[in-house]
Amino acid sequence: MDTEADEAGSLRADRARRVANVLRRQVLDGAFGGGVLPDERALVAEFSVSRNTVREALALLRDEGLVERRRGVGTVVVGRAYAHPLGELAGLAEVLHHHGSVVNQVREARLVRPPRAVARRLGLGEGEQAVHLERLRSLDGVPLSLDSTYLLPWIGKPLLALEREALEHRDVFDLIETVAGAPLGGAEVSVQAVTADAATRAVLRMPESAGAVLTVERLTSLADGRPADLEFIHLRGDRLVLRARVAAPWGRGPGQERAR
């Protein structure tokens, strides 16, 4: 019997979502030894909810492609996500190299006339060209992100002269600093969830149930403050987790009010 049967269905849905929030983090952190979640009875006791609520929570994770039900085994982990530090100027290969082989399928690498909005962000004049790189980035064959990068011509042209293998196995940040000889200083980053269009979903090999992707817009600057490149990155939210450590406002201690 459902102990929450006398409550509104939406309340049970809320509880299922809260249970899924906790379980999702545990799944992504590899907290379940052997890749098997506790059985329903144990989850009911842990979260103090009904069995139906637990089942709804597990269904949410199943729809995300993280777990599946196997007869005679239970609920097993079938998906994996990897943490990417949002607060560090680091490339995917640099961050995930210890998890496996990161390879970039180069979809485009050429000089283009960038959109006006891109040209303005990069400080390019009317009619000036930029180098455009588009790469599909995969870890051990599993697509993680689709990166569209516009670079200043004097930074990007040396990259175009490289063998294709260099663009497939090295991060753009590494190439900018070592090949173009342009030390980086920092970046402005914004993140937004957007509806995944059919083409992007197909390229990233996302499950049909996935309705959104994380888009990262990152304007990277040189050490002297000049812009270097502007990236538009589509990330699989079911495979990458963006993480950052933040601090309290400077000068705010116990008992102090936030400055107005």
Side-chain angles (χ1 to χ4, degrees):
M1 180 177 178
D2 188 350
T3 59
E4 297 171 301
D6 59 335
E7 299 180 351
S10 59
L11 178 57
R12 190 170 73 199
D14 288 340
R15 294 191 178 191
R17 170 175 45 80
R18 294 167 193 152
V19 171
N21 287 343
V22 177
L23 292 177
R24 182 184 300 106
R25 174 51 47 212
Q26 291 178 293
V27 168
L28 298 181
D29 287 342
F32 301 114
V36 180
L37 274 65
D39 61 28
E40 290 180 359
R41 186 177 303 175
L43 294 175
V44 165
E46 178 180 353
F47 291 99
S48 300
V49 295
S50 70
R51 178 162 291 187
N52 281 351
T53 297
V54 165
R55 288 174 177 170
E56 287 187 23
L58 295 176
L60 292 174
L61 301 183
R62 181 197 62 217
D63 291 344
E64 295 172 15
L66 291 178
V67 302
E68 67 179 26
R69 184 77 176 177
R70 292 182 183 171
R71 185 181 299 276
V73 179
T75 302
V76 300
V77 177
V78 294
R80 174 76 189 275
Y82 304 92
H84 192 294
L86 188 60
E88 297 179 17
L89 201 57
L92 202 66
E94 181 181 354
V95 172
L96 301 181
H97 69 91
H98 56 286
H99 290 296
S101 175
V102 177
V103 175
N104 310 294
Q105 176 192 341
V106 180
R107 295 168 56 86
E108 181 170 288
R110 64 188 181 96
L111 276 168
V112 300
R113 178 170 292 182
R116 289 182 180 178
V118 171
R120 284 196 299 269
R121 298 287 300 279
L122 291 176
L124 294 173
E126 185 71 25
E128 284 192 83
Q129 292 183 309
V131 170
H132 181 242
L133 299 179
E134 182 173 275
R135 304 191 298 174
L136 174 64
R137 318 201 68 189
S138 303
L139 176 65
D140 290 339
V142 178
L144 297 182
S145 72
L146 181 60
D147 302 6
S148 178
T149 306
Y150 294 90
L151 302 109
L152 293 181
W154 70 270
I155 293 176
K157 285 181 179 179
L159 275 57
L160 294 182
L162 296 173
E163 296 290 335
R164 184 59 62 100
E165 184 178 357
L167 295 178
E168 291 176 346
H169 293 281
R170 295 175 65 181
D171 285 322
V172 168
F173 291 154
D174 175 35
L175 294 172
I176 290 174
E177 293 197 313
T178 61
V179 177
L184 298 175
E188 298 175 11
V189 182
S190 63
V191 182
Q192 183 179 5
V194 301
T195 300
D197 61 274
T200 299
R201 193 164 53 241
V203 170
L204 291 174
R205 302 210 315 254
M206 297 172 64
E208 288 296 326
S209 59
V213 292
L214 291 176
T215 61
V216 176
E217 181 179 315
R218 180 167 57 195
L219 177 65
T220 304
S221 301
L222 301 173
D224 61 9
R226 290 179 297 163
D229 77 347
L230 178 61
E231 296 175 277
F232 300 93
I233 307 171
H234 286 71
L235 301 172
R236 283 188 58 167
D238 60 335
R239 291 293 177 263
L240 282 172
V241 177
L242 301 177
R243 288 184 175 173
R245 180 178 294 275
V246 298
W250 180 82
R252 184 184 181 189
Q256 294 180 319
E257 293 186 2
R258 188 187 300 270
R260 295 183 183 274

